[in-house]
Amino acid sequence: MKKAFISKEQAEAIAREYPTPFYIYDEKGIRENARAVNKAFSWNKGFREYFAVKATPNPEILKVLLEEGCGFDCSSMAELVLSRAVGAKGADIMFSSNDTPVEEFVYAGELDSIINLDDLTHVDYFIENNIPFKETMCCRFNPGGVFKMSNGIMDNPGDSKYGMSEEQMAEAFTKMMEHGVKHFGIHAFLASNTVTNEYYPQLAGQLFELAIRLKEATGADITFINLSGGVGIPYTPDQTPNDIAVIGEGVHKKFDEIMVPAGLGDVAIFTEMGRYMMGPFGSLVTRAIHEKHIYKEYIGVDACAANLMRPAMYGSYHHITVLGKENEPCDHLYDVTGSLCENNDKFAIDRKLPKIDMGDLIYIHDAGAHGFAMGYNYNGRLWSSELLLQEDGSVRCIRRAQTMRDYFATFDELPVFNAIEDAIEESGQQ
């Protein structure tokens, strides 16, 4: 059974100051999890977790993770700017993007970040646009085909837009060495949200063997291997969570079996987790405001897919707790819906829950990664606030809720803007 990290009483007190819907994150949980990850890979002296900024791009969250020794994986100019703003510099930042504009590569270089190239053509792109190569560069690998694990997990690298073939990796390394690159990293992401302790060790084994072949083929000095993300979380209550200590030891075993005998025992291991680092430590809290009884039973809440799009976009399961009714029987069948003019705006379909009364607080679990970050403004719905439950039990606002004026701000150079301002005043909004 999943347990909320705030009680109904806490949520009601918070909602009096920060109206629903709101996101809330658990600082204590975030820190403890980051320390567990670092401990699991402490056998590797160069280990570092590069948190995927795209998962939760909030500066206060990034500060917490930076304090715990994490770096940041960025994929856009805004993510680079955000990482720099919270104090990350140099090797604190890994820049992994695709279809990248020149100015983003240039800025990543100015920050002295580690640049991870997605495609062989990007080498020529650097040359043609006079973008300086760094002494240390990385390339992303795509083995093609289908990545299948013994427990049935499968993903399809051959249908992915990311990464290079092995032959292209060798060509990229060789060409970059001709332009002054001295040290190389290998990066790959082959499966998403795996809830198994086997994924990282299996991936690591493939990448370790690739590193040996590339070193033999090119003579490149390979200094790190980035296992990227893909370590998932148990969204459903019946799933057994990953054990990061077991995962770390599994990678350790592969490292000792493959890398050490090949004379590559000093290669650093990087990870690049977003979901595992933050998913369970953030939740969306919303309130039941309508009920509807037609062919099904519906509960309407004041959040919508614009606040958390994963269920609508992917059909993803997010567990729901009705705060204050944790011990009541789940004997009612509901669709829990938002207000968007789209029929897929549903947080749950045919979900067994306790009887929900109007005004009840609905706690949507595991929204700490790819939750707020994927928000949007369809139907003019506004972004919620983001709050941090601090280690001392106090709550701090780390992003205020978007206002109507924020939403219309980019019309400020149009003649209609004054009329919009007047209409906002009439509506009683801000």
Side-chain angles (χ1 to χ4, degrees):
M1 178 179 177
K2 287 183 176 286
K3 185 177 180 181
F5 57 75
I6 56 172
S7 66
K8 176 186 177 182
E9 291 72 26
Q10 285 177 297
E12 289 287 10
I14 294 166
R16 285 193 285 271
E17 186 171 0
Y18 306 104
T20 55
F22 58 77
Y23 271 83
I24 187 163
Y25 304 99
D26 175 16
E27 181 183 359
K28 184 173 184 289
I30 295 166
R31 290 188 184 275
E32 289 176 349
N33 189 56
R35 291 167 191 171
V37 169
N38 287 329
K39 183 179 179 182
F41 288 90
S42 60
W43 54 267
N44 182 266
K45 65 180 181 180
F47 173 76
R48 195 165 196 190
E49 156 61 21
Y50 283 84
F51 173 68
V53 174
K54 62 181 174 287
T56 320
N58 185 293
E60 298 303 312
I61 297 297
L62 298 189
K63 285 179 184 178
V64 168
L65 291 166
L66 189 62
E67 288 171 5
E68 295 298 334
C70 297
F72 303 126
D73 176 73
C74 300
S75 57
S76 70
M77 180 69 82
E79 291 176 5
L80 287 169
V81 167
L82 183 56
S83 298
R84 181 67 188 93
V86 302
K89 56 187 177 181
D92 292 339
I93 300 171
M94 175 83 64
F95 184 58
S96 303
S97 65
N98 64 98
D99 292 332
T100 308
V102 169
E103 58 269 21
E104 295 188 5
F105 277 136
V106 170
Y107 186 55
E110 289 173 352
L111 294 180
D112 204 25
S113 61
I114 302 170
I115 297 174
N116 180 26
L117 297 183
D118 180 68
D119 187 65
L120 174 61
T121 62
H122 292 177
V123 178
D124 286 337
Y125 192 70
F126 265 59
I127 297 167
E128 292 162 3
N129 289 282
N130 297 311
I131 306 170
F133 287 96
K134 312 302 291 184
E135 278 199 0
T136 298
M137 299 284 289
C138 184
C139 290
R140 183 168 184 166
F141 174 59
N142 183 330
V146 173
F147 179 80
K148 189 176 187 307
M149 297 184 63
S150 59
N151 58 10
I153 289 177
M154 186 180 297
D155 221 322
N156 189 359
D159 194 40
S160 168
K161 70 174 182 174
Y162 305 109
M164 311 182 200
S165 69
E166 183 171 339
E167 293 75 17
Q168 290 173 331
M169 293 276 287
E171 185 177 346
F173 280 16
T174 300
K175 202 165 194 175
M176 283 193 282
M177 283 191 287
E178 294 170 357
H179 287 81
V181 179
K182 297 179 180 179
H183 312 292
F184 292 87
I186 298 171
H187 171 286
F189 180 98
L190 301 187
S192 180
N193 193 38
T194 61
V195 188
T196 168
N197 296 328
E198 299 173 24
Y199 170 61
Y200 258 4
Q202 184 167 328
L203 171 64
Q206 290 192 17
L207 296 186
F208 295 162
E209 290 169 353
L210 172 68
I212 294 169
R213 294 195 299 272
L214 287 174
K215 183 174 178 62
E216 290 174 349
T218 67
D221 177 32
I222 297 170
T223 58
F224 70 85
I225 291 176
N226 189 335
L227 302 178
S228 188
V231 177
I233 61 174
Y235 283 100
T236 60
D238 61 325
Q239 289 180 300
T240 301
N242 285 321
D243 186 329
I244 198 66
V246 172
I247 290 172
E249 191 51 40
V251 176
H252 190 183
K253 182 179 179 183
K254 291 286 187 181
F255 191 88
D256 286 349
E257 289 175 355
I258 300 170
M259 298 291 277
V260 173
L264 295 174
D266 59 349
V267 170
I269 300 298
F270 296 162
T271 57
E272 187 185 284
M273 296 180 283
R275 195 187 317 267
Y276 185 82
M277 298 301 293
M278 279 297 302
F281 309 110
S283 297
L284 175 61
V285 178
T286 181
R287 195 179 293 276
I289 59 172
H290 288 289
E291 55 186 327
K292 184 172 185 176
H293 318 283
I294 48 172
Y295 310 108
K296 302 179 76 172
E297 295 294 302
Y298 294 94
I299 295 294
V301 298
D302 59 6
C304 62
N307 303 110
L308 176 62
M309 75 184 300
R310 294 188 73 255
M313 183 177 185
Y314 300 120
S316 304
Y317 180 98
H318 280 263
H319 197 64
I320 288 175
T321 293
V322 184
L323 292 177
K325 296 183 177 180
E326 290 87 346
N327 297 319
E328 294 187 14
C330 294
D331 54 5
H332 283 64
L333 195 66
Y334 294 117
D335 281 14
V336 179
T337 73
S339 60
L340 295 187
C341 299
E342 300 292 338
N343 195 46
N344 67 349
D345 182 17
K346 298 176 180 179
F347 295 111
I349 298 173
D350 294 331
R351 186 75 60 85
K352 288 188 174 182
L353 294 165
K355 183 180 185 302
I356 297 176
D357 298 302
M358 295 303 92
D360 280 350
L361 287 170
I362 308 297
Y363 179 103
I364 303 177
H365 292 256
D366 300 318
H370 311 290
F372 186 97
M374 295 176 74
Y376 53 101
N377 284 130
Y378 181 57
N379 274 169
R381 295 300 173 188
L382 306 179
W383 295 329
S384 73
S385 58
E386 289 184 291
L387 311 175
L388 183 65
L389 175 65
Q390 299 181 117
E391 288 188 285
D392 64 4
S394 62
V395 173
R396 181 163 61 93
C397 181
I398 57 174
R399 191 195 302 256
R400 66 168 173 80
Q402 188 182 31
T403 67
M404 195 68 70
R405 283 191 169 84
D406 295 328
Y407 176 73
F408 287 112
T410 49
F411 295 122
D412 60 350
E413 296 183 3
L414 297 180
V416 74
F417 189 68
N418 288 338
I420 291 173
E421 286 273 281
D422 291 343
I424 291 172
E425 291 288 343
E426 289 176 8
S427 72
Q429 301 298 306
Q430 296 181 11

